[in-house]
């Protein structure tokens, strides 16, 4: 896969992963605890887990292929656990010399 294509795929899955985390935290979890619907967390959590895994695999592939400094993939991994983190990361990544 070309570098530019891999970068686009990485950004795409970053947005999907970040969006699924927001859905999980701000929609599914309140529905579980306030509306008694734990199945929503099961479904959204499974989707988020899949997207997180693809995001990390893409991050590792991009790191190896483009020979990123360790700082970028480390931060990319950490922000995946923070709401809105992947969106902020993308903002800085798109403006870096590595994009």
């Amino acid at each position: 896969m070309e570098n530019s294509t891999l970068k686009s795929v990485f950004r795409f899955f970053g947005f999907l992963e970040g969006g699924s985390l927001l859905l999980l935290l701000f929609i599914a979890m309140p529905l579980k605890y306030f509306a008694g619907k734990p199945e929503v967390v099961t479904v959204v959590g499974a989707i988020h887990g899949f997207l997180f895994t693809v995001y990390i695999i893409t991050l590792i592939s991009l790191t190896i292929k483009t020979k990123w400094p360790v700082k970028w993939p480390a931060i990319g991994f950490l922000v995946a656990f923070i709401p809105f983190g992947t969106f902020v990361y993308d903002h800085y990544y798109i403006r870096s010399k590595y994009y």
Side-chain angles (χ1 to χ4, degrees):
M1 190 180 294
E2 269 187 48
N3 282 352
S4 62
T5 305
L6 188 57
K7 290 174 184 177
S8 296
V9 169
F10 172 68
R11 290 189 68 214
F12 176 73
F13 280 109
F15 283 118
L16 287 180
E17 193 278 334
S20 70
L21 178 62
L22 294 176
L23 283 173
L24 182 62
L25 293 177
F26 297 115
I27 305 260
M29 294 298 284
L31 284 174
K32 176 182 179 179
Y33 290 110
F34 300 123
K37 301 213 179 274
E39 61 275 0
V40 177
V41 171
T42 304
V43 173
V44 175
I47 293 168
H48 171 68
F50 171 75
L51 291 172
F52 176 78
T53 303
V54 173
Y55 172 77
I56 295 301
I57 290 170
T58 309
L59 177 65
I60 292 168
S61 299
L62 185 62
T63 301
I64 291 169
K65 185 140 182 153
T66 61
K67 296 179 175 62
W68 267 2
V70 175
K71 170 183 122 174
W72 282 98
I75 294 170
F77 177 76
L78 291 175
V79 300
F81 296 97
I82 302 169
F84 300 101
T86 55
F87 304 114
V88 174
Y89 180 75
D90 182 72
H91 173 78
Y92 287 102
Y93 164 67
I94 202 77
R95 287 158 180 75
S96 74
K97 68 179 180 179
Y98 299 105
Y99 186 78

